[in-house]
Amino acid sequence: MAEVVVHAVASRLQRKQFFQLPWQLYRGDPNWIPPLRQNQLELLNFKPHPFYDNAEIQAFLALRGGEPCGRVAAIVNHVYNERHKEKRGFFGFFESVDDPQVAEALFGAARQWLADRGLTVLRGPANPSMNYECGLLIDGFDSPPTFMMTYNPPYYAKLIEGCGFSKSQDMYAYWGHVNMLQELDKKLQFIVDEAKRRFNVKLRNLDGSRFYEDVRMFLDIYNRSLVGSWGFSPMSEGEIDHAGKALKYLIVPELTAAAEVDGKMVGAVFGLLDYNPRVKRIDGRLLPFGFIRLLRNKRAIPRIRLVSTNVVPEYQKWGLGLVLLNKLLPDSLAYGIQEAEFSWVLETNHLSKASLERGGAKLVKSWRMYDGDVA
């Protein structure tokens, strides 16, 4: 068998080979969803993205007999390291044939690149950070992922663990259907009513007339609310602006809820329609007409992904997250939503897990973040 050769991606051809490898590896897999191509090019820094205003990335491509057989990216997130006082590198965008030699060669190159920059420990997959797609699917391979969630073959875990990585944190997806509403724990409604009374909470949808400003406000709350969360680093102003511009086309105002106390937004939640079946039909291409097929007749999409329920720190643990979901639920039913996925939920987020399980939601998928040494 030919030797595995790893190249640091530099040329236009290498970028093309790196980018197109998943289409080769997942050919015939009914559960794989291609990425939105423009977005993926940006997240790889093949096109400009504000994340890289304070981060670095180097893509590596493995070839055997001149044919691409694996890829990985090494990432330095300076915001994360400054915040956590660590010398941590990240890996992401990992894809490979089922061959330990390919994985070992890729991670060897990534580790050396990170070591040359003074990094000592390594975490991933992060594509390119935990504010974007992240985690390796380890359970729940029988169905496609929802929008902006990762998917991979089962053998990836063995490849990664064989390269010296071990579990750092698991993340979960919970699923619920409208038929399960009759099973809701009655005690949850008491918590909702008490929280609304205690804080005189005003609830509303995100405002369609000033939607971009409201989305930016939600992303600011996202930053503030996750300060104590495992692995968190805040999005920059540039990232917030970039994400806000994209989300204003994807978010439906009726599938959002904001909580205000004394006239200030203190929490927000939104359900993001599961666009993935449409992304697959357009093969990730938004141009020239893919974006029309993606966004038209949104009411025909029956499932949402509850991306994040965020409450600023001073109002956390008082039930405002349940208040927001209680507002979102009837609006979602009126919109025609039949199913919801709550993802992802950290295994250490015991409050969210307990609330979802008491509400009857079912654990359906698990992802894993891995840690390892650079040297």
Side-chain angles (χ1 to χ4, degrees):
M1 187 176 290
E3 181 184 1
V4 176
V5 179
V6 174
H7 296 284
V9 172
S11 70
R12 180 178 296 182
L13 174 61
Q14 289 169 338
R15 287 187 174 192
K16 182 178 180 180
Q17 291 174 317
F18 185 100
F19 182 79
Q20 291 183 341
L21 182 61
W23 276 265
Q24 172 187 324
L25 294 177
Y26 292 96
R27 188 177 295 121
D29 187 334
N31 292 326
W32 180 66
I33 305 294
L36 287 172
R37 295 173 185 244
Q38 174 68 26
N39 183 60
Q40 184 83 160
L41 289 169
E42 292 177 358
L43 293 177
L44 285 165
N45 204 30
F46 292 175
K47 292 189 175 182
H49 190 283
F51 172 77
Y52 294 104
D53 292 345
N54 203 14
E56 303 169 58
I57 185 172
Q58 177 60 60
F60 293 94
L61 180 68
L63 303 174
R64 173 176 274 146
E67 294 297 320
C69 56
R71 72 178 204 182
V72 76
I75 302 155
V76 184
N77 184 342
H78 295 295
V79 173
Y80 177 93
N81 284 331
E82 289 165 8
R83 179 179 183 84
H84 294 274
K85 311 301 181 190
E86 295 182 8
K87 294 182 178 180
R88 183 177 298 280
F90 291 84
F91 74 87
F93 305 100
F94 173 73
E95 305 284 359
S96 177
V97 297
D98 189 2
D99 186 337
Q101 186 180 359
V102 174
E104 289 165 6
L106 285 167
F107 283 113
R111 282 176 157 127
Q112 184 60 58
W113 187 85
L114 292 167
D116 291 344
R117 284 150 184 80
L119 285 304
T120 59
V121 288
L122 182 57
R123 175 174 293 163
N127 306 332
S129 84
M130 291 189 67
N131 292 322
Y132 302 91
E133 294 184 4
C134 64
L136 188 84
L137 185 68
I138 59 168
D139 185 52
F141 299 96
D142 56 343
S143 61
T146 54
F147 191 55
M148 297 177 66
M149 296 299 290
T150 64
Y151 175 82
N152 52 264
Y155 68 81
Y156 276 20
K158 185 177 180 180
L159 290 181
I160 290 174
E161 290 164 12
C163 291
F165 292 94
S166 57
K167 171 186 169 179
S168 180
Q169 180 90 200
D170 281 354
M171 307 177 295
Y172 303 129
Y174 287 85
W175 172 86
H177 191 276
V178 292
N179 293 338
M180 297 160 56
L181 295 179
Q182 59 187 0
E183 302 172 17
L184 285 176
D185 190 330
K186 302 300 183 185
K187 293 180 181 178
L188 296 179
Q189 187 62 51
F190 172 79
I191 296 172
V192 168
D193 293 340
E194 183 63 17
K196 289 167 68 175
R197 182 197 64 78
R198 177 188 292 267
F199 297 108
N200 191 26
V201 179
K202 306 298 182 187
L203 295 167
R204 65 175 178 87
N205 300 117
L206 299 193
D207 188 344
S209 66
R210 54 185 300 272
F211 201 47
Y212 173 65
E213 290 81 2
D214 263 4
V215 169
R216 276 189 56 91
M217 194 176 301
F218 167 80
L219 292 170
D220 178 65
I221 287 176
Y222 168 87
N223 266 356
R224 293 164 58 196
S225 68
L226 294 177
V227 167
S229 293
W230 178 89
F232 175 72
S233 61
M235 299 176 75
S236 68
E237 275 297 310
E239 289 177 275
I240 288 176
D241 186 61
H242 189 272
K245 289 175 179 176
L247 286 172
K248 72 177 182 178
Y249 295 106
L250 298 172
I251 296 177
V252 175
E254 297 94 321
L255 302 179
T256 67
E260 295 181 344
V261 175
D262 298 330
K264 295 182 179 180
M265 189 188 294
V266 299
V269 62
F270 68 86
L272 195 59
L273 289 167
D274 184 14
Y275 293 99
N276 266 0
R278 297 183 177 192
V279 172
K280 187 163 189 171
R281 286 197 290 270
I282 64 174
D283 198 25
R285 298 181 188 274
L286 292 178
L287 298 175
F289 303 114
F291 71 96
I292 297 174
R293 296 173 64 190
L294 184 72
L295 298 176
R296 71 183 176 189
N297 191 20
K298 294 178 182 177
R299 285 185 180 271
I301 300 175
R303 180 164 67 169
I304 57 174
R305 176 185 162 217
L306 271 296
V307 179
S308 194
T309 304
N310 296 115
V311 177
V312 296
E314 55 266 38
Y315 289 96
Q316 291 175 0
K317 299 184 179 179
W318 288 101
L320 287 190
L322 289 174
V323 171
L324 287 163
L325 292 172
N326 189 66
K327 160 67 175 167
L328 185 67
L329 177 58
D331 292 348
S332 299
L333 294 175
Y335 192 83
I337 297 301
Q338 296 295 305
E339 302 175 53
E341 180 180 284
F342 303 82
S343 58
W344 40 261
V345 181
L346 285 172
E347 68 173 327
T348 51
N349 188 344
H350 303 295
L351 180 62
S352 291
K353 286 165 52 186
S355 297
L356 287 166
E357 289 163 5
R358 285 179 63 181
K362 309 298 183 185
L363 176 61
V364 290
K365 291 181 184 288
S366 302
W367 293 263
R368 179 160 294 171
M369 294 296 292
Y370 286 94
D371 281 354
D373 294 328
V374 166

